[in-house]
Amino acid sequence: ARDPTASIQRNDAAQARTRVAQGEYLPLESILADARERFPGRLLEVELDDDEYEVEILMPDGTKVELEYDARTGRLLEVEY
């Protein structure tokens, strides 16, 4: 089984690491911890798009949830089912 956190796109990951190191973005780990606490399920995908982390989680009942977080503040911006 591959590491689901590795599913963040390669260029997104490099950009995120740079921004985290510069103090502009929160680390992905803190975003994922919040996402898993709110929606305990299987992590499907993580993307970074326009200063937002997009996290997709598959819930035990089969529902797919997409969460959008502000990468700078960690604030949950939107939840889509």
Side-chain angles (χ1 to χ4, degrees):
R2 63 181 198 154
D3 178 5
T5 57
S7 67
I8 190 166
Q9 301 297 325
R10 195 170 303 223
N11 58 341
D12 290 349
Q15 178 186 0
R17 277 193 297 275
T18 300
R19 295 268 178 101
V20 167
Q22 294 171 345
E24 292 180 43
Y25 286 177
L26 288 177
L28 179 59
E29 293 78 21
S30 64
I31 300 294
L32 293 179
D34 182 77
R36 287 183 169 131
E37 186 175 314
R38 293 174 191 261
F39 296 94
R42 191 172 68 126
L43 181 64
L44 295 177
E45 185 177 14
V46 179
E47 293 180 14
L48 179 64
D49 187 29
D50 294 331
D51 297 329
E52 292 180 0
Y53 286 116
E54 297 175 1
V55 180
E56 287 185 14
I57 295 176
L58 181 64
M59 300 300 292
D61 67 0
T63 304
K64 190 167 94 173
V65 181
E66 184 174 308
L67 309 168
E68 291 184 11
Y69 286 89
D70 185 312
R72 293 165 296 214
T73 65
R75 188 168 70 92
L76 180 59
L77 302 173
E78 187 176 352
V79 177
E80 291 181 21
Y81 293 90

